Amino acid sequence: MSTYHAPLTDIRFALHDVLQVESLFSTLGFDDANRETVDAVLDECARMCEAVLAPLNRIGDEQGVRFDKATGAVTTPDGFKAAYDQFAEGGWTGMSAPTEFGGMNMPHAIGICLEEMIDAANLAWSNFPLLSHGAVNALRHHGEDWQKEVFLKPLIAGTWTGTMCLTEPQCGTDLGLLKTRAEPADDGSYSITGTKIFITAGEHDLTDNIVHLVLARLPDAPAGSKGISLFIVPKIQVARDGTVGERNAVRCGAVEHKMGIHGSATCVMNFDGAQGYLIGQPHKGLMAMFTMMNTARLGVGVQGLGLATRAYENALRYARERLQSRALSGAKLPSKPADPILVQPDVRRMLLTCKSLTEGGRLLAYHAGSLVDSAELAADDAARKEADDLLGFLTPIVKGCLTEWGNECTYHALQCFGGHGYIAEHGIEQLARDARITTLYEGTTGIQALDLMGRKTLQLQGAGLRVFLGMIERFCAEHANDAALAEFIEPLRAKAGEWQALTRSIAERAAADPEEIGAAAYDYLFFSGYVALAYWWARSVAVADASSRPETFKAGKRETARFYFTRILPRTLTHAAAIASGPASLLSITDEALDS
Ligand SMILES: Cc1cc2nc3c(=O)[nH]c(=O)nc-3n(C[C@H](O)[C@H](O)[C@H](O)COP(=O)(O)OP(=O)(O)OC[C@H]3O[C@@H](n4cnc5c(N)ncnc54)[C@H](O)[C@@H]3O)c2cc1C
């Protein structure tokens, strides 16, 4: 079975040393989020993840959720409900929610750290509380006062959970195709009819009520994505005064059998004239849903990170224990029948790839988490806008890159185990299967890439990119005369320049041919992700060197940064070359020739 020990030393290094969140939190008015409290919260969450959630990971995979066709009920694997009750009673469901509605008002940046540990411990289980965060955010920003009053408290307390109901059989990425209908009723509510598929936590036995946030069309809706509205549809009806009534006309019709996250309920949901309430303005549902989706996109990016950390921890332990072959330069452990595989350069390549992508990725994700706080609470408009621009730019990078890297790391970790990784005993194949969904739901990697390239870069004229390039420029200027950092500063400065030039050249070519955007998007996403990580690695070395941390820790950061700069950052060369080649090599081949 795979184990999980929360990497608290690196989590603290990222939060306190590199991001210096304590001073940020006090500027933003989080008076209770001092270092002592944050550390206590991290310790407690780590304990729960290691002792309660991680041991259920294998059980969830083996049992899966069970569906009763006669009643539409879904039963979660053994132990999931008890763990959820403990989680909700401990206040974890409301950790970064406002105190006004019963939350703890911890910064979002801390919420992201907790999510990393929870996801690593048990990804399938983590999906039950995950979407409640998004529902809370959508309601906070777009709900009417009575809706906040009635729905936020139980969602934050965890006595109810939330869902996000977008997908329909004919409507996945392209939400303009959705058909679910909403008819106005005499009492001001709406009657919702349609079928949603793939709904995470659509039905389960963890809470009494489930609050579905459903996209549907009003009778006078314009066609396409401009005619979509958002509705709250509780499983058990809830009146405007909060009174809980009858069972609503919404029912789970089936659960999907899938490659991974077997313990997560992926449901077909049939709405058959179910009572719902409009959230926000008619036909403006996508905007409200985007509030929820952005929260969820960061959350899914962190799922990739969590799985990568767990995969790395297990692969490293195994590589130390597994004795096979000798080091090429001669025996390292002559008294043993063979050396540990850790001495082999190829095994180290795989492990260091995981270490560099996870520790760098952690900073990328936590920084984005801190921007959620700054975008909402920074003192002046300019600072809030700057944080929001950067957050918008980084969100597809966090979702797209961290989930693809999560898959890459679970792949490398499995490879380190050899054939023992392919069999179920060590639990590594489960991590690889579970990781696969993260690049698909909440918008595939291709869609994240288009969002980054099209909307966040070209439409917004590179507003977020400019902020990030400014951070790199200031860092490089600050360390211009630091000889110990020169090996990182020069390549980082050069890559930042290439990033800017690449963006400009895509924008120019896209003005003449829009296909350039689609052809460049994926490679641009990864070019951006690798340069962003180069910045965080260079900064990690600078911060570690200046700290009082042990020499082994400093050396670990410096050597991993060296590995990153020499063996991972050059991947940008391939991405830049692919972008330069333009759309011709993708579009010139005819459809007939594809199978000739
Ligand atoms: C386990 C699981 C849980 C899920 N949970 C939820 C949930 O809780 N709520 C919910 O509403 N949905 C949920 N989904 C649905 C999920 O979000 C969709 O599967 C996903 O958005 C992709 O849609 P699709 O599967 O229809 O693929 P399609 O949209 O058919 O896409 C197929 C392929 O075409 C590509 N593609 C499509 N359009 C474009 C384009 N314009 N440009 C470039 N490439 C494109 C995609 O990137 C993808 O590679 C879940 C799915 C799964 C499997």
Side-chain angles (χ1 to χ4, degrees), residues 519-563:
Y522 174 87
D523 291 288
Y524 185 77
L525 174 75
F526 282 93
F527 187 98
S528 304
Y530 288 122
V531 181
L533 242 58
Y535 165 74
W536 287 116
W537 267 112
R539 205 164 148 185
S540 292
V541 177
V543 171
D545 279 355
S547 75
S548 56
R549 289 188 177 263
E551 286 308 314
T552 46
F553 182 88
K554 294 180 185 181
K557 287 294 174 199
R558 179 171 286 273
E559 295 306 332
T560 310
R562 281 188 175 140
F563 170 86

mmCIF file of all heavy atoms in Angstrom, residues 519-563:
data_model
loop_
_atom_site.group_PDB
_atom_site.id
_atom_site.type_symbol
_atom_site.label_atom_id
_atom_site.label_comp_id
_atom_site.label_asym_id
_atom_site.label_seq_id
_atom_site.Cartn_x
_atom_site.Cartn_y
_atom_site.Cartn_z
ATOM 1 N N ALA A 519 -3.157 26.392 -32.590
ATOM 2 C CA ALA A 519 -1.943 25.615 -32.871
ATOM 3 C C ALA A 519 -0.854 25.881 -31.829
ATOM 4 O O ALA A 519 -0.042 25.007 -31.525
ATOM 5 C CB ALA A 519 -1.425 25.958 -34.266
ATOM 6 N N ALA A 520 -0.850 27.086 -31.263
ATOM 7 C CA ALA A 520 0.212 27.453 -30.314
ATOM 8 C C ALA A 520 -0.156 27.163 -28.861
ATOM 9 O O ALA A 520 0.722 27.037 -27.998
ATOM 10 C CB ALA A 520 0.516 28.950 -30.454
ATOM 11 N N ALA A 521 -1.481 27.058 -28.583
ATOM 12 C CA ALA A 521 -1.948 27.131 -27.189
ATOM 13 C C ALA A 521 -1.289 26.120 -26.253
ATOM 14 O O ALA A 521 -0.787 26.482 -25.182
ATOM 15 C CB ALA A 521 -3.463 26.978 -27.159
ATOM 16 N N TYR A 522 -1.279 24.840 -26.630
ATOM 17 C CA TYR A 522 -0.754 23.810 -25.726
ATOM 18 C C TYR A 522 0.720 24.074 -25.412
ATOM 19 O O TYR A 522 1.155 24.009 -24.255
ATOM 20 C CB TYR A 522 -0.935 22.429 -26.374
ATOM 21 C CG TYR A 522 -0.302 21.300 -25.590
ATOM 22 C CD1 TYR A 522 -0.997 20.663 -24.576
ATOM 23 C CD2 TYR A 522 1.008 20.887 -25.863
ATOM 24 C CE1 TYR A 522 -0.409 19.627 -23.855
ATOM 25 C CE2 TYR A 522 1.598 19.861 -25.144
ATOM 26 C CZ TYR A 522 0.886 19.235 -24.145
ATOM 27 O OH TYR A 522 1.470 18.229 -23.420
ATOM 28 N N ASP A 523 1.488 24.375 -26.459
ATOM 29 C CA ASP A 523 2.921 24.602 -26.241
ATOM 30 C C ASP A 523 3.169 25.893 -25.462
ATOM 31 O O ASP A 523 4.100 25.970 -24.661
ATOM 32 C CB ASP A 523 3.641 24.621 -27.599
ATOM 33 C CG ASP A 523 3.638 23.232 -28.217
ATOM 34 O OD1 ASP A 523 4.367 22.363 -27.706
ATOM 35 O OD2 ASP A 523 2.870 22.990 -29.152
ATOM 36 N N TYR A 524 2.303 26.869 -25.673
ATOM 37 C CA TYR A 524 2.438 28.123 -24.924
ATOM 38 C C TYR A 524 2.151 27.889 -23.439
ATOM 39 O O TYR A 524 2.824 28.434 -22.563
ATOM 40 C CB TYR A 524 1.494 29.180 -25.507
ATOM 41 C CG TYR A 524 1.670 30.534 -24.868
ATOM 42 C CD1 TYR A 524 2.744 31.349 -25.211
ATOM 43 C CD2 TYR A 524 0.773 30.998 -23.912
ATOM 44 C CE1 TYR A 524 2.918 32.594 -24.615
ATOM 45 C CE2 TYR A 524 0.938 32.237 -23.316
ATOM 46 C CZ TYR A 524 2.011 33.034 -23.668
ATOM 47 O OH TYR A 524 2.192 34.258 -23.082
ATOM 48 N N LEU A 525 1.137 27.054 -23.171
ATOM 49 C CA LEU A 525 0.808 26.725 -21.771
ATOM 50 C C LEU A 525 2.045 26.163 -21.067
ATOM 51 O O LEU A 525 2.408 26.584 -19.961
ATOM 52 C CB LEU A 525 -0.334 25.707 -21.736
ATOM 53 C CG LEU A 525 -0.710 25.137 -20.370
ATOM 54 C CD1 LEU A 525 -1.479 26.168 -19.548
ATOM 55 C CD2 LEU A 525 -1.573 23.879 -20.497
ATOM 56 N N PHE A 526 2.704 25.190 -21.717
ATOM 57 C CA PHE A 526 3.840 24.544 -21.050
ATOM 58 C C PHE A 526 5.086 25.412 -21.062
ATOM 59 O O PHE A 526 5.844 25.425 -20.082
ATOM 60 C CB PHE A 526 4.076 23.135 -21.625
ATOM 61 C CG PHE A 526 3.074 22.198 -21.046
ATOM 62 C CD1 PHE A 526 1.881 21.952 -21.698
ATOM 63 C CD2 PHE A 526 3.266 21.648 -19.798
ATOM 64 C CE1 PHE A 526 0.912 21.147 -21.124
ATOM 65 C CE2 PHE A 526 2.300 20.845 -19.212
ATOM 66 C CZ PHE A 526 1.119 20.591 -19.884
ATOM 67 N N PHE A 527 5.298 26.175 -22.130
ATOM 68 C CA PHE A 527 6.407 27.130 -22.113
ATOM 69 C C PHE A 527 6.237 28.038 -20.883
ATOM 70 O O PHE A 527 7.173 28.234 -20.101
ATOM 71 C CB PHE A 527 6.400 27.968 -23.412
ATOM 72 C CG PHE A 527 7.606 28.851 -23.557
ATOM 73 C CD1 PHE A 527 8.676 28.456 -24.341
ATOM 74 C CD2 PHE A 527 7.696 30.070 -22.891
ATOM 75 C CE1 PHE A 527 9.811 29.259 -24.461
ATOM 76 C CE2 PHE A 527 8.813 30.875 -22.997
ATOM 77 C CZ PHE A 527 9.874 30.465 -23.792
ATOM 78 N N SER A 528 5.019 28.529 -20.694
ATOM 79 C CA SER A 528 4.738 29.443 -19.573
ATOM 80 C C SER A 528 4.954 28.734 -18.237
ATOM 81 O O SER A 528 5.577 29.291 -17.318
ATOM 82 C CB SER A 528 3.290 29.937 -19.646
ATOM 83 O OG SER A 528 3.041 30.542 -20.891
ATOM 84 N N GLY A 529 4.450 27.514 -18.129
ATOM 85 C CA GLY A 529 4.586 26.773 -16.869
ATOM 86 C C GLY A 529 6.049 26.539 -16.505
ATOM 87 O O GLY A 529 6.449 26.713 -15.353
ATOM 88 N N TYR A 530 6.859 26.177 -17.503
ATOM 89 C CA TYR A 530 8.274 25.885 -17.199
ATOM 90 C C TYR A 530 9.041 27.156 -16.834
ATOM 91 O O TYR A 530 9.904 27.124 -15.949
ATOM 92 C CB TYR A 530 8.941 25.161 -18.376
ATOM 93 C CG TYR A 530 8.457 23.731 -18.516
ATOM 94 C CD1 TYR A 530 7.864 23.273 -19.693
ATOM 95 C CD2 TYR A 530 8.568 22.833 -17.443
ATOM 96 C CE1 TYR A 530 7.400 21.966 -19.797
ATOM 97 C CE2 TYR A 530 8.097 21.527 -17.555
ATOM 98 C CZ TYR A 530 7.514 21.100 -18.728
ATOM 99 O OH TYR A 530 7.047 19.807 -18.821
ATOM 100 N N VAL A 531 8.725 28.276 -17.486
ATOM 101 C CA VAL A 531 9.432 29.515 -17.119
ATOM 102 C C VAL A 531 8.984 29.962 -15.719
ATOM 103 O O VAL A 531 9.800 30.393 -14.902
ATOM 104 C CB VAL A 531 9.211 30.636 -18.159
ATOM 105 C CG1 VAL A 531 9.978 31.890 -17.755
ATOM 106 C CG2 VAL A 531 9.662 30.176 -19.540
ATOM 107 N N ALA A 532 7.680 29.828 -15.455
ATOM 108 C CA ALA A 532 7.188 30.200 -14.117
ATOM 109 C C ALA A 532 7.915 29.376 -13.047
ATOM 110 O O ALA A 532 8.351 29.904 -12.016
ATOM 111 C CB ALA A 532 5.679 29.985 -14.033
ATOM 112 N N LEU A 533 8.087 28.093 -13.301
ATOM 113 C CA LEU A 533 8.775 27.244 -12.314
ATOM 114 C C LEU A 533 10.250 27.619 -12.178
ATOM 115 O O LEU A 533 10.817 27.527 -11.084
ATOM 116 C CB LEU A 533 8.644 25.770 -12.699
ATOM 117 C CG LEU A 533 7.892 24.931 -11.667
ATOM 118 C CD1 LEU A 533 6.511 25.487 -11.443
ATOM 119 C CD2 LEU A 533 7.817 23.474 -12.070
ATOM 120 N N ALA A 534 10.864 28.056 -13.281
ATOM 121 C CA ALA A 534 12.268 28.484 -13.207
ATOM 122 C C ALA A 534 12.401 29.653 -12.234
ATOM 123 O O ALA A 534 13.343 29.720 -11.435
ATOM 124 C CB ALA A 534 12.772 28.889 -14.591
ATOM 125 N N TYR A 535 11.414 30.563 -12.302
ATOM 126 C CA TYR A 535 11.426 31.697 -11.365
ATOM 127 C C TYR A 535 11.327 31.194 -9.925
ATOM 128 O O TYR A 535 12.101 31.588 -9.047
ATOM 129 C CB TYR A 535 10.258 32.642 -11.689
ATOM 130 C CG TYR A 535 9.967 33.637 -10.593
ATOM 131 C CD1 TYR A 535 10.813 34.733 -10.387
ATOM 132 C CD2 TYR A 535 8.877 33.487 -9.745
ATOM 133 C CE1 TYR A 535 10.556 35.644 -9.363
ATOM 134 C CE2 TYR A 535 8.610 34.388 -8.728
ATOM 135 C CZ TYR A 535 9.456 35.464 -8.543
ATOM 136 O OH TYR A 535 9.214 36.352 -7.532
ATOM 137 N N TRP A 536 10.385 30.282 -9.678
ATOM 138 C CA TRP A 536 10.196 29.820 -8.296
ATOM 139 C C TRP A 536 11.401 29.024 -7.819
ATOM 140 O O TRP A 536 11.762 29.080 -6.635
ATOM 141 C CB TRP A 536 8.896 29.021 -8.165
ATOM 142 C CG TRP A 536 7.696 29.918 -8.236
ATOM 143 C CD1 TRP A 536 6.726 29.934 -9.187
ATOM 144 C CD2 TRP A 536 7.376 30.993 -7.325
ATOM 145 N NE1 TRP A 536 5.811 30.926 -8.930
ATOM 146 C CE2 TRP A 536 6.175 31.587 -7.801
ATOM 147 C CE3 TRP A 536 7.973 31.500 -6.161
ATOM 148 C CZ2 TRP A 536 5.572 32.672 -7.148
ATOM 149 C CZ3 TRP A 536 7.366 32.571 -5.519
ATOM 150 C CH2 TRP A 536 6.189 33.147 -6.014
ATOM 151 N N TRP A 537 12.072 28.312 -8.715
ATOM 152 C CA TRP A 537 13.259 27.560 -8.291
ATOM 153 C C TRP A 537 14.413 28.494 -7.974
ATOM 154 O O TRP A 537 15.107 28.324 -6.960
ATOM 155 C CB TRP A 537 13.658 26.510 -9.339
ATOM 156 C CG TRP A 537 13.017 25.194 -8.999
ATOM 157 C CD1 TRP A 537 12.040 24.556 -9.691
ATOM 158 C CD2 TRP A 537 13.264 24.416 -7.820
ATOM 159 N NE1 TRP A 537 11.659 23.417 -9.022
ATOM 160 C CE2 TRP A 537 12.394 23.295 -7.878
ATOM 161 C CE3 TRP A 537 14.124 24.544 -6.729
ATOM 162 C CZ2 TRP A 537 12.377 22.318 -6.884
ATOM 163 C CZ3 TRP A 537 14.098 23.577 -5.726
ATOM 164 C CH2 TRP A 537 13.231 22.480 -5.812
ATOM 165 N N ALA A 538 14.611 29.508 -8.841
ATOM 166 C CA ALA A 538 15.707 30.450 -8.561
ATOM 167 C C ALA A 538 15.450 31.143 -7.231
ATOM 168 O O ALA A 538 16.349 31.303 -6.396
ATOM 169 C CB ALA A 538 15.809 31.467 -9.695
ATOM 170 N N ARG A 539 14.193 31.520 -7.032
ATOM 171 C CA ARG A 539 13.865 32.219 -5.797
ATOM 172 C C ARG A 539 13.994 31.301 -4.579
ATOM 173 O O ARG A 539 14.427 31.731 -3.506
ATOM 174 C CB ARG A 539 12.441 32.781 -5.912
ATOM 175 C CG ARG A 539 12.261 33.943 -5.012
ATOM 176 C CD ARG A 539 11.077 34.768 -5.332
ATOM 177 N NE ARG A 539 10.605 35.311 -4.059
ATOM 178 C CZ ARG A 539 9.520 36.012 -3.915
ATOM 179 N NH1 ARG A 539 8.766 36.270 -4.950
ATOM 180 N NH2 ARG A 539 9.175 36.458 -2.726
ATOM 181 N N SER A 540 13.638 30.034 -4.763
ATOM 182 C CA SER A 540 13.774 29.082 -3.646
ATOM 183 C C SER A 540 15.231 28.985 -3.199
ATOM 184 O O SER A 540 15.520 28.931 -1.997
ATOM 185 C CB SER A 540 13.316 27.683 -4.065
ATOM 186 O OG SER A 540 11.939 27.672 -4.278
ATOM 187 N N VAL A 541 16.151 28.947 -4.167
ATOM 188 C CA VAL A 541 17.577 28.838 -3.806
ATOM 189 C C VAL A 541 18.006 30.095 -3.049
ATOM 190 O O VAL A 541 18.663 30.013 -1.999
ATOM 191 C CB VAL A 541 18.455 28.649 -5.066
ATOM 192 C CG1 VAL A 541 19.934 28.621 -4.690
ATOM 193 C CG2 VAL A 541 18.076 27.362 -5.795
ATOM 194 N N ALA A 542 17.613 31.256 -3.575
ATOM 195 C CA ALA A 542 17.999 32.517 -2.919
ATOM 196 C C ALA A 542 17.474 32.551 -1.486
ATOM 197 O O ALA A 542 18.206 32.898 -0.544
ATOM 198 C CB ALA A 542 17.455 33.705 -3.724
ATOM 199 N N VAL A 543 16.216 32.156 -1.304
ATOM 200 C CA VAL A 543 15.601 32.224 0.028
ATOM 201 C C VAL A 543 16.230 31.183 0.956
ATOM 202 O O VAL A 543 16.541 31.473 2.114
ATOM 203 C CB VAL A 543 14.069 32.019 -0.084
ATOM 204 C CG1 VAL A 543 13.433 31.858 1.286
ATOM 205 C CG2 VAL A 543 13.437 33.181 -0.832
ATOM 206 N N ALA A 544 16.442 29.979 0.445
ATOM 207 C CA ALA A 544 17.029 28.921 1.291
ATOM 208 C C ALA A 544 18.434 29.329 1.725
ATOM 209 O O ALA A 544 18.795 29.197 2.903
ATOM 210 C CB ALA A 544 17.067 27.596 0.531
ATOM 211 N N ASP A 545 19.237 29.837 0.788
ATOM 212 C CA ASP A 545 20.612 30.240 1.118
ATOM 213 C C ASP A 545 20.644 31.278 2.227
ATOM 214 O O ASP A 545 21.523 31.269 3.083
ATOM 215 C CB ASP A 545 21.312 30.807 -0.127
ATOM 216 C CG ASP A 545 21.840 29.686 -1.022
ATOM 217 O OD1 ASP A 545 21.738 28.509 -0.613
ATOM 218 O OD2 ASP A 545 22.335 29.992 -2.118
ATOM 219 N N ALA A 546 19.690 32.196 2.175
ATOM 220 C CA ALA A 546 19.682 33.291 3.161
ATOM 221 C C ALA A 546 19.047 32.871 4.486
ATOM 222 O O ALA A 546 19.035 33.646 5.440
ATOM 223 C CB ALA A 546 18.914 34.472 2.574
ATOM 224 N N SER A 547 18.537 31.658 4.560
ATOM 225 C CA SER A 547 17.812 31.232 5.767
ATOM 226 C C SER A 547 18.745 30.502 6.727
ATOM 227 O O SER A 547 19.907 30.238 6.421
ATOM 228 C CB SER A 547 16.666 30.291 5.374
ATOM 229 O OG SER A 547 17.195 29.019 5.041
ATOM 230 N N SER A 548 18.193 30.159 7.901
ATOM 231 C CA SER A 548 18.993 29.408 8.872
ATOM 232 C C SER A 548 18.670 27.917 8.787
ATOM 233 O O SER A 548 18.897 27.165 9.727
ATOM 234 C CB SER A 548 18.687 29.936 10.275
ATOM 235 O OG SER A 548 17.299 29.828 10.477
ATOM 236 N N ARG A 549 18.119 27.486 7.677
ATOM 237 C CA ARG A 549 17.764 26.068 7.528
ATOM 238 C C ARG A 549 19.029 25.221 7.426
ATOM 239 O O ARG A 549 20.089 25.728 7.043
ATOM 240 C CB ARG A 549 16.876 25.882 6.300
ATOM 241 C CG ARG A 549 15.503 26.463 6.531
ATOM 242 C CD ARG A 549 14.521 26.169 5.474
ATOM 243 N NE ARG A 549 13.234 26.744 5.873
ATOM 244 C CZ ARG A 549 12.261 26.057 6.464
ATOM 245 N NH1 ARG A 549 12.403 24.783 6.707
ATOM 246 N NH2 ARG A 549 11.135 26.647 6.814
ATOM 247 N N PRO A 550 18.931 23.919 7.728
ATOM 248 C CA PRO A 550 20.120 23.061 7.709
ATOM 249 C C PRO A 550 20.783 23.028 6.329
ATOM 250 O O PRO A 550 20.108 23.221 5.308
ATOM 251 C CB PRO A 550 19.564 21.677 8.050
ATOM 252 C CG PRO A 550 18.197 21.890 8.559
ATOM 253 C CD PRO A 550 17.722 23.217 8.119
ATOM 254 N N GLU A 551 22.098 22.741 6.314
ATOM 255 C CA GLU A 551 22.854 22.732 5.047
ATOM 256 C C GLU A 551 22.278 21.714 4.065
ATOM 257 O O GLU A 551 22.278 21.946 2.858
ATOM 258 C CB GLU A 551 24.336 22.435 5.305
ATOM 259 C CG GLU A 551 25.096 23.622 5.927
ATOM 260 C CD GLU A 551 24.925 24.927 5.146
ATOM 261 O OE1 GLU A 551 25.035 24.911 3.901
ATOM 262 O OE2 GLU A 551 24.659 25.976 5.787
ATOM 263 N N THR A 552 21.797 20.574 4.575
ATOM 264 C CA THR A 552 21.248 19.568 3.644
ATOM 265 C C THR A 552 20.018 20.116 2.926
ATOM 266 O O THR A 552 19.798 19.830 1.750
ATOM 267 C CB THR A 552 20.825 18.272 4.374
ATOM 268 O OG1 THR A 552 20.087 18.645 5.515
ATOM 269 C CG2 THR A 552 21.997 17.417 4.759
ATOM 270 N N PHE A 553 19.224 20.903 3.648
ATOM 271 C CA PHE A 553 18.030 21.485 3.022
ATOM 272 C C PHE A 553 18.462 22.460 1.920
ATOM 273 O O PHE A 553 17.951 22.420 0.799
ATOM 274 C CB PHE A 553 17.184 22.210 4.080
ATOM 275 C CG PHE A 553 15.906 22.784 3.515
ATOM 276 C CD1 PHE A 553 14.755 22.012 3.465
ATOM 277 C CD2 PHE A 553 15.860 24.082 3.016
ATOM 278 C CE1 PHE A 553 13.573 22.531 2.918
ATOM 279 C CE2 PHE A 553 14.690 24.606 2.474
ATOM 280 C CZ PHE A 553 13.547 23.822 2.435
ATOM 281 N N LYS A 554 19.448 23.315 2.251
ATOM 282 C CA LYS A 554 19.914 24.301 1.258
ATOM 283 C C LYS A 554 20.486 23.588 0.039
ATOM 284 O O LYS A 554 20.221 23.970 -1.106
ATOM 285 C CB LYS A 554 20.992 25.202 1.867
ATOM 286 C CG LYS A 554 20.474 26.089 2.980
ATOM 287 C CD LYS A 554 21.591 26.951 3.527
ATOM 288 C CE LYS A 554 21.089 27.731 4.723
ATOM 289 N NZ LYS A 554 22.101 28.600 5.307
ATOM 290 N N ALA A 555 21.265 22.538 0.304
ATOM 291 C CA ALA A 555 21.871 21.794 -0.811
ATOM 292 C C ALA A 555 20.781 21.117 -1.640
ATOM 293 O O ALA A 555 20.860 21.057 -2.873
ATOM 294 C CB ALA A 555 22.852 20.762 -0.281
ATOM 295 N N GLY A 556 19.763 20.613 -0.961
ATOM 296 C CA GLY A 556 18.650 19.970 -1.670
ATOM 297 C C GLY A 556 17.997 20.942 -2.632
ATOM 298 O O GLY A 556 17.690 20.597 -3.783
ATOM 299 N N LYS A 557 17.799 22.169 -2.174
ATOM 300 C CA LYS A 557 17.171 23.177 -3.045
ATOM 301 C C LYS A 557 18.102 23.526 -4.208
ATOM 302 O O LYS A 557 17.674 23.582 -5.361
ATOM 303 C CB LYS A 557 16.826 24.443 -2.251
ATOM 304 C CG LYS A 557 15.652 24.270 -1.313
ATOM 305 C CD LYS A 557 14.348 24.034 -2.071
ATOM 306 C CE LYS A 557 13.179 23.712 -1.146
ATOM 307 N NZ LYS A 557 12.060 23.062 -1.816
ATOM 308 N N ARG A 558 19.368 23.771 -3.901
ATOM 309 C CA ARG A 558 20.302 24.196 -4.958
ATOM 310 C C ARG A 558 20.485 23.100 -6.011
ATOM 311 O O ARG A 558 20.413 23.353 -7.210
ATOM 312 C CB ARG A 558 21.657 24.588 -4.341
ATOM 313 C CG ARG A 558 22.699 25.022 -5.363
ATOM 314 C CD ARG A 558 23.925 25.604 -4.698
ATOM 315 N NE ARG A 558 23.663 26.929 -4.176
ATOM 316 C CZ ARG A 558 23.783 28.058 -4.893
ATOM 317 N NH1 ARG A 558 24.147 28.004 -6.154
ATOM 318 N NH2 ARG A 558 23.532 29.235 -4.362
ATOM 319 N N GLU A 559 20.682 21.869 -5.549
ATOM 320 C CA GLU A 559 20.930 20.787 -6.516
ATOM 321 C C GLU A 559 19.680 20.467 -7.331
ATOM 322 O O GLU A 559 19.773 20.147 -8.517
ATOM 323 C CB GLU A 559 21.448 19.530 -5.801
ATOM 324 C CG GLU A 559 22.811 19.696 -5.149
ATOM 325 C CD GLU A 559 23.888 20.203 -6.119
ATOM 326 O OE1 GLU A 559 23.792 19.941 -7.330
ATOM 327 O OE2 GLU A 559 24.814 20.890 -5.649
ATOM 328 N N THR A 560 18.521 20.564 -6.695
ATOM 329 C CA THR A 560 17.293 20.310 -7.462
ATOM 330 C C THR A 560 17.077 21.429 -8.480
ATOM 331 O O THR A 560 16.647 21.191 -9.616
ATOM 332 C CB THR A 560 16.072 20.181 -6.522
ATOM 333 O OG1 THR A 560 16.403 19.257 -5.486
ATOM 334 C CG2 THR A 560 14.846 19.672 -7.255
ATOM 335 N N ALA A 561 17.398 22.657 -8.074
ATOM 336 C CA ALA A 561 17.277 23.783 -9.021
ATOM 337 C C ALA A 561 18.223 23.570 -10.202
ATOM 338 O O ALA A 561 17.861 23.813 -11.355
ATOM 339 C CB ALA A 561 17.591 25.097 -8.318
ATOM 340 N N ARG A 562 19.424 23.088 -9.912
ATOM 341 C CA ARG A 562 20.376 22.816 -11.006
ATOM 342 C C ARG A 562 19.808 21.779 -11.963
ATOM 343 O O ARG A 562 19.895 21.920 -13.182
ATOM 344 C CB ARG A 562 21.702 22.308 -10.442
ATOM 345 C CG ARG A 562 22.540 23.426 -9.903
ATOM 346 C CD ARG A 562 23.927 22.956 -9.516
ATOM 347 N NE ARG A 562 24.701 24.111 -9.116
ATOM 348 C CZ ARG A 562 25.544 24.155 -8.098
ATOM 349 N NH1 ARG A 562 25.748 23.066 -7.359
ATOM 350 N NH2 ARG A 562 26.204 25.243 -7.815
ATOM 351 N N PHE A 563 19.265 20.714 -11.380
ATOM 352 C CA PHE A 563 18.647 19.680 -12.212
ATOM 353 C C PHE A 563 17.548 20.314 -13.063
ATOM 354 O O PHE A 563 17.454 20.089 -14.268
ATOM 355 C CB PHE A 563 18.064 18.561 -11.322
ATOM 356 C CG PHE A 563 17.207 17.593 -12.086
ATOM 357 C CD1 PHE A 563 17.777 16.508 -12.735
ATOM 358 C CD2 PHE A 563 15.831 17.779 -12.182
ATOM 359 C CE1 PHE A 563 16.990 15.622 -13.472
ATOM 360 C CE2 PHE A 563 15.035 16.895 -12.914
ATOM 361 C CZ PHE A 563 15.625 15.815 -13.558
#
